[in-house]
């Protein structure tokens, strides 16, 4: 059984949250009040994102112009290449939006499977959010648990609240920010990282300091990452 890396996008592959970036640039200021409701747990991710996206007024070219200033983690392509060479598979699993994710990946010459929410244009400058049919009982816009393969060992790389559910089910987590604190508090096997330079070190290092935590990996499976 080989390894699959499930990659969060906003705050992970992209150092900035592209959804918040677009909302700050083009939405009515009320989007921040909706965000506060979500962070307080009064509404779920789907309701939050639906209401926020409906507040955006911008043409597609305006959105793309703002996204043009977004850079990706400088070590992400090196990490992805190293993972592919070790026969791992990768996919982006995000509670963000395809309009930003696919646009930015392609702008940097990256072609990866993406499972995310969708922004659908309404009229000249209006937008609405659409969500996957998977995980209808999941409060997130994208059910990350339903988006990863069941026949592979899963390593999650993420940074925030949308990753909490999958972190509980993944075989191991490479965690930034809020996700690292969550994993520590919940006793979830993980390594805290600052970015993809650390993730690259994880799969190329030969001292295997994480082996005790990766109890679900047999030695040959973990060797696949060091081939």
């Amino acid at each position: 059984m080989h390894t699959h890396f499930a990659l969060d996008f906003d705050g992970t592959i992209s150092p900035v949250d592209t959804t918040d970036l677009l909302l700050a640039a083009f939405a009515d200021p009320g989007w921040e009040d909706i965000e506060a409701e979500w962070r307080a747990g009064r509404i779920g991710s789907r309701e939050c994102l639906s209401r926020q996206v409906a507040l955006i007024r911008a043409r597609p070219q305006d959105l793309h112009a703002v996204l043009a200033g977004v850079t990706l983690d400088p070590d992400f392509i090196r990490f992805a290449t190293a993972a592919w060479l070790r026969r791992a598979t990768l996919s982006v699993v995000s509670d963000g939006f395809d309009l930003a994710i696919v646009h930015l990946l392609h702008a940097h010459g990256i072609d990866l499977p993406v499972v995310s929410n969708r922004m659908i244009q309404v009229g000249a400058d209006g937008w609405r959010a659409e969500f996957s049919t998977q995980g209808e009982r999941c409060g997130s816009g994208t059910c990350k648990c339903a988006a990863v393969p069941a026949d592979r060992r899963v390593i999650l790389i993420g940074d925030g609240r949308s990753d909490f559910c999958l972190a509980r089910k993944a075989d191991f987590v490479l965690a930034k920010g809020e996700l690292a604190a969550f994993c520590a508090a919940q006793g979830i096997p993980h390594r805290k990282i600052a970015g993809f330079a650390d993730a690259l070190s994880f799969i190329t290092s030969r001292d295997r300091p994480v082996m005790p935590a990766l109890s679900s990996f047999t030695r040959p499976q973990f060797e696949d990452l060091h081939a």
Side-chain angles (χ1 to χ4, degrees), residues 3 19 88 117 125 188 205:
T3 298
T19 301
N117 307 319
D125 63 355
I188 295 171
S205 171

Side-chain angles (χ1 to χ4, degrees), residues 13-96:
I13 296 175
S14 165
V16 303
D17 187 310
T18 57
T19 301
D20 286 354
L21 180 69
L22 296 179
L23 289 168
F26 299 113
D28 180 280
W31 77 268
E32 293 180 290
D33 296 328
I34 301 170
E35 186 85 1
E37 289 186 61
W38 171 68
R39 290 199 169 274
R42 291 192 292 271
I43 60 174
S45 175
R46 290 190 184 206
E47 180 179 348
C48 174
L49 292 170
S50 291
R51 289 167 58 187
Q52 287 178 324
V53 168
L55 298 176
I56 293 176
R57 290 294 178 270
R59 300 169 301 169
Q61 58 265 39
D62 299 327
L63 299 175
H64 289 153
V66 168
L67 292 170
V70 176
T71 59
L72 304 185
D73 183 297
D75 296 292
F76 175 65
I77 292 178
R78 291 177 61 222
F79 164 82
T81 301
W84 283 324
L85 290 174
R86 287 157 177 79
R87 295 180 289 174
T89 54
L90 306 92
S91 66
V92 176
V93 289
S94 172
D95 211 18

Side-chain angles (χ1 to χ4, degrees), residues 46 93 115-118 131-148:
R46 290 190 184 206
V93 289
V115 180
S116 69
N117 307 319
R118 295 175 296 280
F131 306 105
S132 170
T133 55
Q134 294 179 322
E136 288 295 342
R137 290 176 292 180
C138 180
S140 296
T142 296
C143 180
K144 294 191 178 187
C145 293
V148 297

